[in-house]
Amino acid sequence: FGMLAGAALYAEVHPWFKANVLAQWDLGKATFVTTTGLSPWWFIAALVVGALAAFRAISNYERKLGLV
């Protein structure tokens, strides 16, 4: 019964909440590039470096456990 009551309440309140609350926080399409002003290539490079570091750490951990 509680789930049905919560769903009904949500269905009634959502249009008002969307128009009055969520509209105030709408920033449009916000991305790391638009908010920081940096080139997207910096983020791509950071992801590549992070992935390589993670692969290296996992490989070292597997070697330490003797799984390789």
Side-chain angles (χ1 to χ4, degrees), residues 14 20 26 36 39 47-48 55-58 60 62:
H14 186 265
N20 295 312
D26 187 13
T36 62
S39 169
L47 286 173
V48 168
F55 295 150
R56 180 77 179 242
I58 291 169
N60 289 341
E62 287 176 341

Side-chain angles (χ1 to χ4, degrees), residues 37-54:
L38 296 173
S39 169
W41 290 106
W42 286 109
F43 294 101
I44 294 169
L47 286 173
V48 168
V49 169
L52 291 175

Side-chain angles (χ1 to χ4, degrees), residues 2-64:
M3 290 172 52
L4 290 175
L9 180 64
Y10 176 80
E12 288 298 319
V13 172
H14 186 265
W16 175 87
F17 188 77
K18 184 177 179 183
N20 295 312
V21 177
L22 295 180
Q24 302 300 320
W25 292 80
D26 187 13
L27 301 176
K29 185 178 180 181
T31 64
F32 285 122
V33 174
T34 57
T35 55
T36 62
L38 296 173
S39 169
W41 290 106
W42 286 109
F43 294 101
I44 294 169
L47 286 173
V48 168
V49 169
L52 291 175
F55 295 150
R56 180 77 179 242
I58 291 169
S59 178
N60 289 341
Y61 182 70
E62 287 176 341
R63 240 184 251 117
K64 180 180 173 183

